[in-house]
Amino acid sequence: MSVSPTMPTGTASVDHSEVALPRPVALVARAMSVAAGVLLIALIMLTVADVVSRNLRDHSIVGAVDMSTMLLVAAAFLGLASAELDGKHVTVDLFEARFAPRARWALSLLRAVILLALGVLLTWGLSEVLLSALERGETTNDVLRLPTWPAKAVLVVSFLAYFVVAVWKELRAHSELTADLADEQSGDHR
Amino acid sequence: MTATTAAVLVLVLLLFFGLLAIRLHVGLSLMSAAFVGVLLLRGTGAATSTVASMPFSTSASYSLTIIPLFILMGVFAVRAGLAQAGFDLASAALKRLPGGPALASLAGSGMFAAVTGSSVATVATMARVSTDAIVKAGYGIKLAAGVVCAGGTLGVLIPPSIVLVLYGVVTEESIGQLLLAGVGPGLLTIAVYAATIVALVSRQRRRQARRHGDGSTPPVDGGPRTSPQPGSQSRREENRAIGGAGSGSGTAVLSPSSEGQGTAAAAPATRLDLVGFLYLVVIFAVSIGTIYLGVATPTEAASFGALAAMVILLLRTRPPAWMRAVGESLSEAVGLTAMTFLLMTGAGVFTYFLALTGASTELVGWVLGADLPPYLALVLCLLLLLPLGMFLDGISMILIAAPLLHPILVGYGFDGIWLGVLIVKVAEMALVTPPVGMNAFVYSGAVREAGLGRVFRGIVPFILADVVVVALLIAFPDITTWLPAVSSTQ
């Protein structure tokens, strides 16, 4: 459960809504979550094997620390998209519930724009970081000299997928608010 | 700091709170505000590369592997029904005590919070079910609100505490020692909260008894006990909670008949998944015991804990459901991990921006230069945390505030481990303190009939209890430091 503490009015909601995403996007998000789970299991096994090896054979697995670190980088953000998709955020809303529908409509649009801008920024920036790691043949500092680009490639994909889901969700919410607004206006005319 | 830098700093802070106000994720709010700040001070190129390099530099650290491992351990344990087993056992064992359902809810919230590491999430999850149980037993909703909101704050001290791990990461204090240091204060908090509940309930009973006159049975579950056994049990509990001052008399009232009562009460408890509770003890022993004995680093201990929890989950699930149980646990743990790292990435960019403005060093230098009496500096720093509870949950507060408060207070001569426990404890207090504590808002959102005013009134006794705990922790540093001191961990 992710907690995204925002501002309070005494109202809080746990948003359990599954957002209807285009099927391929949802599938990709789920697949990334499963991949992250597999990486975490590998992380557990590697650390346990390392301790066992140290006690039985009296020496550690070569490069276990390096491998663990790269596993962590790859697994850390892979679950972002599916966590956003499940949307189990506890949001506490101080102002918005009291706002007029039009103001809420505008805020939702603003959020969508900010999320889109951040998504573009990070996807572009992380790709640059990935390309530079590839060009320089960047590796870890330990004995194994593991290349860092695979983990960095996973970061690009993780953040891209996260922002696709987040922007999509916000746009859906926005279009619902637009519909509400239209309803209200037609109600006024009647 | 030049006037321009100061203006940029103010702008970034306003932007951060503005973004939080429009309900952007706190990690993204930190990241965006700090991005604008770096952009204004150093240009687009520097700002982009700062933000883009942060996810890798935040997560590429071996000591952080402990975070997903602890999360996995907790999720597996909850999925295996171990927290439920503990909660049921607590309910059965405490049923006959005054305020039994409230004590059980306290235990339940504490366990859930220990597992999830977030008291806000705990309150959101536990509010409805705990309140129903407490109100059904005849107690007021104010008591329920206090118990749930305060119970959520227990988890940060009881291992495995992700908040303490993060404090260790940002201040470079020993994570193993921090985890052990949380144990004493965690137990103390439980004892003081339990004593608070018992005191509140006894007062309510006395009032009701007066209203109903002597002899009539008040409609409260387990009203004033006239039978000797449960009475002696409750007195025993009070003695224990208050600190064993009267433990001699407590043992004296333990008659053979009350022991008989004890075994009778234990019988349903066996059916109540005693094995599940024992598993919980095993996981705790594997993860914290090995750190204590110094045979494993915290990361290794967390791996063994996570593996043990997974094996227990498999043992307690029928083989056809294995894939589903493990898969769903993994998916939840992966999501929690990702959101925690997103928060850390945002906090990383923000901390970099603060360092760039020189605000952090100037603040530290200024407070140290003021040469305050050390304990005054300590109390002022801790008080600064309270308003943050309006905007931020415990983890975010620690990520932002600890890098500033730690150097100041270590400079005043305080121990970094002891400080960590105090800072984390007070950061959690900030989540329940009126008028802005976030837990209270979350609670009144989940339990609509409660109303914010009543929630805060219900919390007040627990805040007083917290003040007592913090005062004890400051007055007797041994409560915090004895366990790390006697252990073999570094």
Side-chain angles (χ1 to χ4, degrees), chain A residues 40-109:
Chain A
L40 287 184
I41 295 282
L43 180 64
I44 298 180
M45 294 310 176
L46 179 62
T47 314
V48 169
D50 186 35
V51 176
V52 170
S53 154
R54 202 172 55 212
N55 284 297
L56 292 185
R57 308 186 305 162
D58 223 29
H59 57 86
S60 299
I61 295 176
V62 177
V65 168
D66 255 22
M67 286 189 276
S68 297
T69 309
M70 288 300 113
L71 280 174
L72 176 66
V73 176
F77 299 96
L78 258 180
L80 275 178
S82 90
E84 181 66 24
L85 193 63
D86 290 335
K88 282 189 237 156
H89 293 241
V90 182
T91 50
V92 188
D93 170 12
L94 183 56
F95 303 124
E96 231 175 297
R98 293 183 189 167
F99 280 6
R102 185 163 292 282
R104 294 219 301 267
W105 178 88
L107 279 185
S108 166
L109 188 63

Side-chain angles (χ1 to χ4, degrees), chain B residues 291-311:
Chain B
I291 296 178
Y292 174 80
L293 293 172
V295 296
T297 65
T299 301
E300 292 163 357
S303 299
F304 277 102
L307 184 64
M310 188 168 79
V311 170

Side-chain angles (χ1 to χ4, degrees), chain B residues 226-377:
Chain B
T226 41
S227 57
Q229 296 92 341
S232 66
Q233 270 184 349
S234 71
R235 237 169 292 147
R236 244 190 316 157
E237 171 65 20
E238 267 172 321
N239 283 336
R240 208 171 30 198
I242 287 159
S247 61
S249 69
T251 338
V253 287
L254 239 183
S255 62
S257 67
S258 83
E259 273 165 18
Q261 170 91 12
T263 21
T270 330
R271 265 175 276 138
L272 266 168
D273 199 3
L274 208 55
V275 180
F277 181 71
L278 287 178
Y279 279 140
L280 204 59
V281 175
V282 167
I283 292 180
F284 188 82
V286 166
S287 57
I288 298 307
T290 49
I291 296 178
Y292 174 80
L293 293 172
V295 296
T297 65
T299 301
E300 292 163 357
S303 299
F304 277 102
L307 184 64
M310 188 168 79
V311 170
I312 290 167
L313 172 61
L314 294 179
L315 286 175
R316 287 165 68 86
T317 317
R318 279 172 295 105
W322 277 4
M323 280 303 283
R324 210 175 135 223
V326 174
E328 286 178 3
S329 309
L330 281 176
S331 148
E332 194 180 340
V334 159
L336 276 167
T337 303
M339 285 301 169
T340 308
F341 275 93
L342 183 63
L343 201 55
M344 291 167 63
T345 304
V349 181
F350 198 77
T351 306
Y352 174 81
F353 164 73
L354 285 183
L356 200 63
T357 61
S360 343
T361 24
E362 276 191 36
L363 181 73
V364 173
W366 183 71
V367 179
L368 283 177
D371 207 20
L372 301 165
Y375 283 96
L376 180 64

Side-chain angles (χ1 to χ4, degrees), chain A residues 1-3 5-8 10 37 41 44 47 51 54 69 72-73 76-77 79-80 92 96 107 111 114 118 124-126, chain B residues 19-23 32 48 52 55-56 59-61 68-69 118 300 303 310 334 336 338-339 345 391 438 441-442 444:
Chain A
M1 179 162 319
S2 62
V3 181
T6 354
M7 292 260 181
I41 295 282
I44 298 180
T47 314
V51 176
R54 202 172 55 212
T69 309
L72 176 66
V73 176
F77 299 96
L80 275 178
V92 188
E96 231 175 297
L107 279 185
R111 273 197 298 271
I114 294 172
L118 272 175
W124 178 64
L126 286 168
Chain B
L19 290 172
L20 278 183
I22 65 161
R23 294 199 293 124
S32 319
T48 314
F56 185 84
S59 56
S61 158
L69 294 172
S118 164
E300 292 163 357
S303 299
M310 188 168 79
V334 159
L336 276 167
M339 285 301 169
T345 304
F391 314 102
M438 203 152 78
F441 289 101
V442 174
S444 71

